[in-house]
Amino acid sequence: MTKVYTGSTLGVRKLTAGQREQTRKELVWLERDLIRRRKKLAFWTECKARAEADPTMPQAKRDGAFYFYGEARKLVASGEKLRAYLIAELQAQPDHLPAYHHAH
């Protein structure tokens, strides 16, 4: 018979009041930074669309637009992951019981 794990899948630790306040401050900063990151992504998305539509654009500029678009996407994705983890940490996730997971 296998042992079934019913704990949190995120590995969230219990926080003290001071740690919760620090996590909230970090979350506020991150949300402001995500706005900035999304604006950069919108700009590079527009540049990428122009590069795709304009055949007369120099190849170096075209390559730069694609590169920076990809980097902007990575920045937004990493910020979103961190934001999700911080929110899970603040919501006292150890009380959350996910679907059944087999223990290793």
Side-chain angles (χ1 to χ4, degrees):
M1 183 134 222
T2 59
K3 182 177 178 186
V4 177
Y5 176 70
T6 58
S8 173
T9 59
L10 295 174
V12 177
R13 60 197 161 98
K14 293 235 183 203
L15 299 174
T16 64
Q19 289 172 325
R20 279 185 182 274
E21 188 58 37
Q22 185 64 29
T23 303
R24 281 190 191 100
K25 286 179 185 175
E26 189 175 345
L27 186 59
V28 167
W29 174 85
L30 181 63
E31 286 178 347
R32 270 191 257 119
D33 192 54
L34 272 171
I35 291 169
R36 183 186 61 82
R37 291 178 187 193
R38 287 185 191 119
K39 286 179 182 177
K40 279 189 176 185
L41 178 60
F43 172 77
W44 287 112
T45 302
E46 185 180 320
C47 289
K48 179 181 164 257
R50 268 191 256 129
E52 290 173 339
D54 186 7
T56 63
M57 183 179 279
Q59 188 62 34
K61 245 185 165 178
R62 184 183 314 260
D63 292 343
F66 284 103
Y67 173 78
F68 287 112
Y69 168 74
E71 292 299 310
R73 278 188 46 191
K74 287 181 199 173
L75 274 174
V76 169
S78 67
E80 290 290 346
K81 273 186 190 176
L82 180 57
R83 181 178 175 269
Y85 184 78
L86 291 176
I87 288 173
E89 205 170 49
L90 286 176
Q91 289 179 342
Q93 281 295 305
D95 297 337
H96 170 68
L97 294 179
Y100 295 105
H101 297 281
H102 294 285
H104 299 321

